[in-house]
Amino acid sequence: MISVKSVINLNLPKIKQLTDAQITALEQTAEALHTEVVQAQVFPRDTGHLQNENTFLDRSESSHGKVSIVSSTPYARRLYFHPEYHFSKRANPNARGEWCEDWLSGGSKADFAAKTFKEIYRRLTRI
């Protein structure tokens, strides 16, 4: 009969450091995505309240792997899901409904979040 013995030593401080880096990278990726969407000038604008003051990052669930970019105005949903509206393009020349579609799966910039997370995580962990 063959007997095998293994000893596994976990480096718990390093595991915690990597886990914390994941959370930080997730939050920074969401911030970068919000900045990217604003710079693409796709938000419909009247005075900039939707784009600037009323769209923010909700980090409350980041330790569970979830962050949200939230637009808190009562009209944001109506504007987002009705691309047939004629948006003023004076302040944002690319203003439209469904302004985040380019960054979602199947969009022209769908790899932005994954690539950004990877870069930030590598920088934080120095891997």
Side-chain angles (χ1 to χ4, degrees), residues 6-19:
S6 296
V7 176
I8 298 173
N9 294 319
L10 296 176
N11 186 343
L12 295 177
K14 187 64 172 177
I15 292 172
K16 174 138 177 53
Q17 177 188 5
L18 293 173
T19 302

Side-chain angles (χ1 to χ4, degrees), residues 15-116:
I15 292 172
K16 174 138 177 53
Q17 177 188 5
L18 293 173
T19 302
D20 291 344
Q22 288 175 344
I23 295 167
T24 303
L26 177 65
E27 291 174 350
Q28 290 180 6
T29 299
E31 289 172 5
L33 178 60
H34 179 239
T35 301
E36 176 81 5
V37 173
V38 169
Q39 289 178 347
Q41 297 181 328
V42 292
F43 270 97
R45 271 186 79 162
D46 49 358
T47 59
H49 292 295
L50 176 61
Q51 171 179 284
N52 299 325
E53 292 89 23
N54 294 321
T55 299
F56 60 92
L57 187 62
D58 178 8
R59 297 178 179 89
S60 63
E61 296 290 320
S62 63
S63 63
H64 300 292
K66 179 182 176 183
V67 292
S68 301
I69 298 173
V70 179
S71 294
S72 63
T73 62
Y75 55 87
R77 182 182 188 93
R78 178 174 36 90
L79 291 176
Y80 188 85
F81 289 107
H82 290 282
E84 71 273 7
Y85 289 162
H86 297 287
F87 297 105
S88 170
K89 298 189 183 251
R90 189 175 32 161
N92 281 343
N94 304 319
R96 63 178 193 258
E98 298 178 341
W99 52 84
C100 291
E101 292 297 309
D102 289 344
W103 293 270
L104 296 176
S105 180
S108 62
K109 300 174 185 177
D111 62 342
F112 176 83
K115 287 169 67 176
T116 303

